[in-house]
Amino acid sequence: KAVVSTQSTGAKEEEKEKAKRQKTKITGDMKPLSDELTSIFTSIMADKKINLTLNPTNKPNNTPYNPFLSNVEHFRSVLSNKNFQENPLSAVKAHILRTNAMHKT
């Protein structure tokens, strides 16, 4: 008799991808963190849109600066950076060296 697998094909693929991500140097498995940041970002943006539609007197230029949203966007751009994906340690080292050089001048 054939044994029926309890995991779907998608779940098996996800497990393979997770194992591959965990082998990545330094970073390990960043996908759960990235997924959570994406969901937080979209929920904040949805709340922002609701607030803007409920109060039509708000102007987009008058919205306060939200550093959290800026940090989420910055983190997402770092995660998608090709150099960071290939070698995170080298990318962080290069960033620190550039930042230190900028502050010394």
Side-chain angles (χ1 to χ4, degrees):
K1 294 181 179 179
V3 177
V4 178
S5 176
T6 58
Q7 291 183 332
S8 67
T9 305
K12 288 180 183 177
E13 290 296 319
E14 182 66 30
E15 287 296 319
K16 288 180 183 178
E17 290 175 10
K18 182 178 179 181
K20 185 178 178 182
R21 289 190 307 267
Q22 285 178 335
K23 291 179 183 178
T24 303
K25 295 179 184 178
I26 306 297
T27 59
D29 189 4
M30 298 294 284
K31 187 174 186 319
L33 178 60
S34 178
D35 291 344
E36 286 300 316
L37 286 174
T38 302
S39 66
I40 291 170
F41 181 74
T42 54
S43 68
I44 289 173
M45 293 307 291
D47 290 343
K48 204 175 209 184
K49 288 179 184 176
I50 290 170
N51 290 339
L52 289 176
T53 57
L54 292 177
N55 189 359
T57 60
N58 283 348
K59 295 180 182 177
N61 294 338
N62 291 343
T63 56
Y65 172 73
N66 189 341
F68 178 76
L69 291 179
S70 176
N71 290 339
V72 169
E73 290 171 358
H74 185 74
F75 184 73
R76 291 171 91 195
S77 68
V78 168
L79 287 177
S80 64
N81 183 294
K82 183 180 175 185
N83 293 332
F84 182 79
Q85 289 176 349
E86 290 175 359
N87 190 349
L89 184 61
S90 174
V92 170
K93 181 179 177 181
H95 171 73
I96 290 172
L97 290 173
R98 280 192 308 268
T99 304
N100 283 343
M102 284 178 28
H103 289 285
K104 287 181 180 179
T105 56

